[in-house]
């Protein structure tokens, strides 16, 4: 058999509910144009419920045998993702000094540019031409001024996968990121096309602290491959009594 290229396991987790998720819900419900949150999106913390969700997931990892737990943790550079990762490790009893723990800016939230902090109503009100352009082009390719398209996010995630396959072969890798990060990794690892991943995105938002995972199977393909195991898995939250939430991230635009 050729040398294994991939980690043995990859878990991809969306951060716990954030204060921004809560603020967005309130703004959308009131049909306000702007989401009322004072911090930068980068600095937006977890809500109290988000902390509870991260703790619940930490217990799930704690219950794993030591030889099945993460050996590498990669997280977005945003506060809510770093805190989610740290809470998971703390509750699981995994010392960050005993593993590889790295915040990586390539795992950051999609950048929304001038649409940052606007609700769907606010986008239509303030930038009707952009709203029309987005509806015509589709969210996969639409790039707001100063922001990113899904393709831009996918491009930086290709670089992350290059790093993972080069530096973390045979490791067990936990990635903590954002909703679009989870979906774009699925696009890459499951070799989807635009229609398939947008169909998944339209169906439902990625729940906070849900787990999507892949296991390496050496018998599949020419050199072995990563196979999906869990998709938006929320049983650890339900078992711990933590409410499941699936709000979109703060500065987004409406689903299409």
């Amino acid at each position: 058999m050729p040398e294994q290229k991939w980690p043995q396991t990859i878990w991809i987790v969306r951060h716990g509910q954030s204060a921004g998720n809560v603020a967005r819900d309130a703004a959308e419900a009131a049909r306000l144009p702007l989401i009322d949150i004072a911090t930068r999106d980068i600095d937006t913390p977890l809500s109290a419920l988000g902390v509870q969700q991260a703790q619940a997931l930490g217990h799930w990892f704690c219950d794993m045998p030591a030889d099945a737990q993460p050996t590498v943790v990669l997280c977005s550079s945003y506060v809510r993702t770093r805190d989610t990762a740290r809470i998971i490790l703390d509750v699981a009893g995994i010392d960050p000094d005993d593993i590889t723990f790295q915040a990586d800016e390539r795992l950051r939230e999609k950048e929304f540019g001038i649409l940052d902090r606007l609700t769907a109503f606010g986008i239509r009100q303030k930038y009707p031409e952009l709203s029309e352009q987005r509806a015509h082009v589709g969210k996969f390719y639409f790039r707001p001024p100063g922001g990113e398209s899904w393709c831009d996010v996918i491009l930086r995630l290709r670089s992350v996968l290059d790093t993972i396959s080069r530096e973390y072969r045979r490791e067990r890798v936990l990635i903590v990121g954002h909703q679009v990060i989870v979906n774009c990794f699925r696009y890459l690892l499951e070799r989807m096309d635009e229609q398939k991943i947008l169909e998944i995105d339209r169906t439902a938002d990625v729940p906070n602290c849900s787990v999507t995972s892949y296991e390496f199977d050496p018998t599949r393909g020419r050199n072995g491959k990563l196979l999906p195991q869990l998709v938006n898995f929320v049983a650890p939250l339900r078992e711990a009594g933590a409410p499941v939430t699936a709000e979109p991230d703060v500065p987004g635009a409406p689903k299409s």
Side-chain angles (χ1 to χ4, degrees), residues 4-145:
Q4 181 171 326
K5 171 184 176 181
W6 293 106
Q8 190 62 36
T9 307
I10 296 179
W11 301 274
I12 307 172
V13 171
R14 185 186 176 194
H15 60 78
Q17 185 196 60
S18 73
N21 297 145
V22 176
R24 177 186 175 127
D25 277 356
E28 292 281 8
R31 289 186 58 80
L32 298 175
L34 191 66
I35 298 165
D36 183 16
I37 189 161
T39 60
R40 298 186 305 166
D41 190 30
I42 297 165
D43 300 322
T44 301
L46 293 174
S47 66
L49 176 53
V51 171
Q52 182 185 357
Q53 291 168 335
Q55 291 170 335
L57 190 53
H59 286 296
W60 184 69
F61 280 106
C62 182
D63 289 340
M64 293 181 179
D67 61 0
Q69 291 178 330
T71 56
V72 176
V73 177
L74 307 175
C75 65
S76 159
S77 50
Y78 284 37
V79 167
R80 58 186 178 273
T81 46
R82 296 201 314 266
D83 286 351
T84 298
R86 288 177 178 137
I87 291 168
I88 290 171
L89 292 178
D90 182 59
V91 174
I94 301 171
D95 189 336
D97 292 334
D98 292 339
I99 64 172
T100 299
F101 184 99
Q102 181 68 48
D104 190 324
E105 76 287 342
R106 294 174 296 177
L107 296 171
R108 69 189 182 275
E109 173 63 282
K110 184 171 84 74
E111 296 179 359
F112 292 86
I114 63 172
L115 304 184
D116 188 32
R117 296 178 62 210
L118 291 176
T119 63
F121 173 74
I123 293 169
R124 291 192 297 269
Q125 182 185 70
K126 189 171 184 179
Y127 300 112
E129 72 286 355
L130 289 179
S131 182
E132 291 175 6
Q133 183 186 11
R134 180 184 180 280
H136 174 69
V137 174
K139 69 190 297 182
F140 193 78
Y141 290 103
F142 173 70
R143 179 190 294 137

Side-chain angles (χ1 to χ4, degrees), residues 14 17 21-22 24-25 179 205-208 245-249:
R14 185 186 176 194
Q17 185 196 60
N21 297 145
V22 176
R24 177 186 175 127
D25 277 356
Q179 172 164 261
D205 290 311
V206 176
N208 295 106
T245 54
E247 299 95 338
D249 286 321

Side-chain angles (χ1 to χ4, degrees), residues 72-243:
V72 176
V73 177
L74 307 175
C75 65
S76 159
S77 50
Y78 284 37
V79 167
R80 58 186 178 273
T81 46
R82 296 201 314 266
D83 286 351
T84 298
R86 288 177 178 137
I87 291 168
I88 290 171
L89 292 178
D90 182 59
V91 174
I94 301 171
D95 189 336
D97 292 334
D98 292 339
I99 64 172
T100 299
F101 184 99
Q102 181 68 48
D104 190 324
E105 76 287 342
R106 294 174 296 177
L107 296 171
R108 69 189 182 275
E109 173 63 282
K110 184 171 84 74
E111 296 179 359
F112 292 86
I114 63 172
L115 304 184
D116 188 32
R117 296 178 62 210
L118 291 176
T119 63
F121 173 74
I123 293 169
R124 291 192 297 269
Q125 182 185 70
K126 189 171 184 179
Y127 300 112
E129 72 286 355
L130 289 179
S131 182
E132 291 175 6
Q133 183 186 11
R134 180 184 180 280
H136 174 69
V137 174
K139 69 190 297 182
F140 193 78
Y141 290 103
F142 173 70
R143 179 190 294 137
E148 293 179 300
S149 67
W150 276 43
C151 289
D152 294 320
V153 175
I154 288 165
L155 179 61
R156 49 180 160 93
L157 293 187
R158 290 187 187 278
S159 172
V160 173
L161 288 177
D162 285 345
T163 299
I164 288 173
S165 63
R166 183 179 66 248
E167 299 184 10
Y168 305 126
R169 298 177 184 186
R170 299 183 180 275
E171 301 275 7
R172 299 181 297 275
V173 180
L174 169 61
I175 299 171
V176 183
H178 308 265
Q179 172 164 261
V180 71
I181 295 298
V182 176
N183 281 333
C184 288
F185 266 127
R186 289 193 64 189
Y187 170 88
L188 290 169
L189 292 172
E190 299 174 43
R191 300 184 179 185
M192 298 181 184
D193 57 20
E194 174 192 2
Q195 288 71 29
K196 179 62 176 177
I197 192 57
L198 291 187
E199 177 186 349
I200 289 171
D201 180 64
R202 279 192 296 270
T203 301
D205 290 311
V206 176
N208 295 106
C209 275
S210 62
V211 180
T212 295
S213 69
Y214 300 84
E215 291 284 337
F216 181 75
D217 185 341
T219 69
R220 299 296 294 271
R222 293 178 59 188
N223 301 312
K225 63 190 298 186
L226 288 168
L227 298 181
Q229 299 296 310
L230 303 172
V231 176
N232 295 338
F233 180 64
V234 294
L237 276 64
R238 292 189 173 122
E239 290 170 2

